[in-house]
Amino acid sequence: MSGLDPQAVGRYSRQIALPEVGSLGQARILAARIVLVVDGLVAETAARYLAGAGVCRFRSMARGSGLGDLAGVLAELNPDARVEAWPWPLEGTAWVSALEEQTVVLRVGFDDDAMVRAAVRVAVPVVAVRTDAASIDVLSLRRHGPCPHLCLDVPACLSNATESDPGISVLAGALAACEILDIVLRQAGPRARHLRLVLGPGEEPLAQDIPWAPECCACGGGASEARIPQQKLHD
Amino acid sequence: MILEESVLLVGAGGLGCGAALALAAAGLRHLVVVDDDVVEESNLHRQVLHKNAAVGMPKAQSLAATLAQRYPSVEVTQMQTRFDATSAARLLQGCAALVDASDNFRTKFLCNDAAVLARIPLVHAAVAGLRGQLLTVAAGGRPCYRCLFEDLPPPDAGVGPPAGPLGPVPGVLGALQGTEAMRFLRGAPAFVGRLLQYDAASLSMRLVRLRPNPHCAVCGTRPTILGLDPSAYSMQRSSP
Ligand SMILES: [Zn+2]
């Protein structure tokens, strides 16, 4: 288990023993930089699970009440976990600086073109989560797209939910943490994908790949010149 | 929306931490957590209600303390004991639902039998590696966990060095259990008679519909498990 110090080997032994992780995978988790583009219970839960699994570096771009004492909560779970507060970017170029050199972005809700375009431009995968009183969508976008805003007909399910069940937010946070680790372990992995879970007696979960549209203005043929909109973001 | 009923949580490990977080967030007032184990360093990557400094502490105590810090309105009763045939009926008394967050087959079968006999709803889950499953058993079963799996696996099944799971995988299944238990108590469960299978590697979930098994030893037409009296109760149906 070269490259990991003995303390990490002890703490993460059960993960390292998984063929999908190994010592190389655990080293990737320990080196990952995760951006939390939101506040609230989904982000708090995802951060708890990521810190537990070995992620040490978080950048938090919370608005409003923010994430409270997230740094304190995470440090009690994992003394190596650090949370860097980052000002909310007001336009596209600020998003590019905020996301550069980061490993994965967790976005809760999905109303933010400038963030997605910046992520596509700097090749940082995005995990976007949306919840309401009885459903969860997890969208997992790879570096350079596809971006669902532009490649998919944006389904109504991607708009920010008004009211969520806090238990479902905890579930969504754990699901997001799994998907973020999958991206970290496989270094972006195979395809952009979408899971939709509706909690109801007759409902079936939906798991699908997200197609890439070559004509997409952000991640399609002209993606290298992706335009970064300068407009102020809606809140 | 606060729910005044009590939920019994068997296990304060990876599933138990996820379930406790979801139950508390969703407004449960009383949680009874049963676990006779202590926190080990190799638990910390997935059992996120146990702080780094809790290594060596009883898991039930550690979970109760961290949960109370985050959700002060939840009353947690911690039982540092084993959920077995002797204690099961007593621990279930007064609880409206059982969440099976245990990590071994013997306890899973016992949770099922105890819940079916006591006519208390059960939310079962299990994880391995990057996968997990969940099943809700209505009061009295039909179908139940034993309808599907029937009997304990042979004793050498799954022997090997302990590996996994990936940290947040039991968090997903545990949070699903907590959410489902709350939905059950509010009259809208999603997974009664439907086995949910989750695979983190493919970001997928699928459902397998179950039918009641007429030969089930606990909820079938001629049940052979009729009580939990430790002298008479054996979860193993076939001779080993
Ligand atoms: Zn049965």
Side-chain angles (χ1 to χ4, degrees), chain A residues 4 13 53 57 72 100 103 114 122 130 132 145 175 185 189 201 228 231:
Chain A
L4 296 178
S13 57
R57 283 180 289 186
E100 257 168 354
T103 315
V122 297
R130 166 257 174 229
D132 69 15
L175 273 169
L185 289 169
I228 308 294
Q231 87 273 17

Side-chain angles (χ1 to χ4, degrees), chain B residues 112 116 137 140-148 212-213 216-220:
Chain B
N112 180 74
V116 170
V137 176
R142 301 188 179 180
C144 77
Y145 177 72
R146 198 181 271 283
C147 286
L148 178 62
N213 178 353
C216 175
V218 69
C219 81

Side-chain angles (χ1 to χ4, degrees), chain A residues 11 13-15 17-18 41 44 48-49 52-53 76-77 79 166-167 171 174-175 178 181 186 193 199-201 203-205, chain B residues 18 25 44-45 48 51-52 70-71 163-164 166-169 171-172 175 179 183 190 194 198 201-203 205 207 209:
Chain A
R11 183 186 166 106
S13 57
R14 298 277 295 258
Q15 261 179 190
L18 280 172
L41 197 48
E44 178 197 315
R48 271 181 199 270
Y49 278 103
E76 285 181 328
L77 296 178
L171 171 55
L175 273 169
C178 279
L181 289 185
R186 297 205 264 181
R193 53 200 189 175
L199 296 172
E203 303 285 351
E204 297 281 336
Chain B
L44 300 174
H45 83 280
V48 299
K51 297 176 183 176
N52 206 60
R70 177 64 179 82
Y71 295 99
L166 186 68
V169 170
V172 169
T179 306
R183 293 182 65 86
R194 303 200 300 168
Y198 166 63
S202 58
L203 186 61
M205 289 184 179
L207 285 167
R209 209 165 297 275

